[in-house]
Every structure is written in structure tokens, then in C-alpha cells.
Amino acid sequence: MALLAAWCPAAGELPAAKEYEVKAAFLYNFTKFIEWPPESHGAAPGPFVIGVIGRDSFVTNLRNVVRDRKVNGRSVEVRVLDDVADVATVQIVFVSGSAEAEVGAACRQYGVLAVGESKEFLEQGGAIAFVFQEAKLRFAINIKAARHAGLKVSAQLQKLAMNVRNPR
């Protein structure tokens, strides 16, 4: 929990180039607070895969953050996804831009944690969205979307979120 809290600098203190380093650190740390359905990992042991759609500049930052790290004993691999259908091959997908609207449904089908960059992403079926609130980089969670994807979000992560949507 302390690792996530440490990555919440004020927006004025966060140069644009550093924003994606911070988001990459958040993304990796989310893995410690999410439980995936067994079928989303595949039968064979392999790397834990984080996909990126729509923001190639983010890939380098993410690769630097996850280098030599493990998720549940598995090495971490970062992939650039060219198509929404490719979400079936990852455990987390980071989405930015116009692709956000298409990703939610695919992620629910395959047990993938969908993370985006706008409040609207939560309304489109995303599970977590990065947002700036009171000049700080924060995140919000759509519990319903996470549950539909078969994901369990820990209470600790929910407490750290600026907003937790739990529509019935």
C-alpha cells in the first residue's frame, strides 16, 4: 500500500515526461492488489503479460519499471497490442486514446484488467482509470467492470482509489 501512496505527486510537480513513469509504477503495483481468474493465465506457466494499446511512448517506461520484476513468481513481459482482439493474450491492458471504448467488452470476456486514462473509460467498461484530482495523479475503480472480468480487487486498493464505483 505504501508503494502506491508514494507515487502520487502533485500534477504541478510532475513533468509530462515523468507522468508515464508514474503511471507505469502504478500499473505494476496494481498487480499486487488484483486477483485474476485462473483461466486468464492459461494452463502453461509463462510470463505475466501487460499489453499497451495506443501509447507507444508508454512502453519504454513500463519496460523499465518491470525489468527483473515478478508477478506471482512469473517474469513480466510488456507487449504492444495492435488490435483489441489481442487482449486475450494479456493479463493487464493499458489503453489510451480512441481505443478505450472498444476495450472494455473484450477485457471482460478474457479476464483482463483494463486500465485507461479518462473518467469516461470507467463508463465504457474499464476497470481502472488514471485521473488528476486536486492536482494529483490518482486512480478510480469500476468494481462492477472488474467483477464482470472475473477479477477480485483487494479492499486495500479500493481504499487508495479516489473513487470506487460499485453500481448494482
Side-chain angles (χ1 to χ4, degrees):
M1 215 160 82
L3 289 174
L4 283 175
W7 286 97
C8 295
E13 301 170 13
L14 191 63
K18 296 289 183 188
E19 178 182 336
Y20 284 101
E21 288 178 35
V22 174
K23 288 179 179 179
F26 265 113
L27 205 60
Y28 171 73
N29 282 308
F30 289 155
T31 66
K32 300 171 186 178
F33 300 96
I34 303 288
E35 185 179 324
W36 279 262
E39 63 273 10
S40 73
H41 292 284
F48 184 94
V49 183
I50 302 173
V52 177
I53 297 176
R55 182 82 64 183
D56 291 342
S57 60
F58 181 66
V59 172
T60 301
N61 290 316
L62 186 55
R63 285 185 175 142
N64 288 336
V65 166
V66 302
R67 182 178 291 122
D68 301 323
R69 304 253 178 144
K70 304 268 186 202
V71 173
N72 297 325
R74 300 165 66 181
S75 63
V76 181
E77 180 182 320
V78 177
R79 291 184 193 158
V80 175
L81 305 181
D82 296 320
D83 190 82
V84 172
D86 295 336
V87 301
T89 66
V90 304
Q91 282 73 48
I92 298 177
V93 64
F94 175 78
V95 188
S96 66
S98 61
E100 285 185 342
E102 304 171 42
V103 171
C107 289
R108 286 189 301 274
Q109 180 180 357
Y110 297 110
V112 174
L113 177 66
V115 180
E117 294 187 287
S118 70
K119 288 182 184 179
E120 293 79 22
F121 183 60
L122 297 178
E123 296 161 9
Q124 297 166 343
I128 297 178
F130 290 115
V131 294
F132 281 95
Q133 180 187 39
E134 298 175 6
K136 291 189 179 201
L137 180 61
R138 305 287 308 271
F139 62 93
I141 300 172
N142 180 338
I143 293 295
K144 183 177 181 181
R147 285 184 188 144
H148 281 297
L151 305 170
K152 294 180 183 172
V153 179
S154 78
Q156 289 177 316
L157 188 62
Q158 291 180 48
K159 286 179 187 176
L160 292 172
M162 64 169 248
N163 184 11
V164 178
R165 296 179 183 200
N166 195 7
R168 298 287 170 203

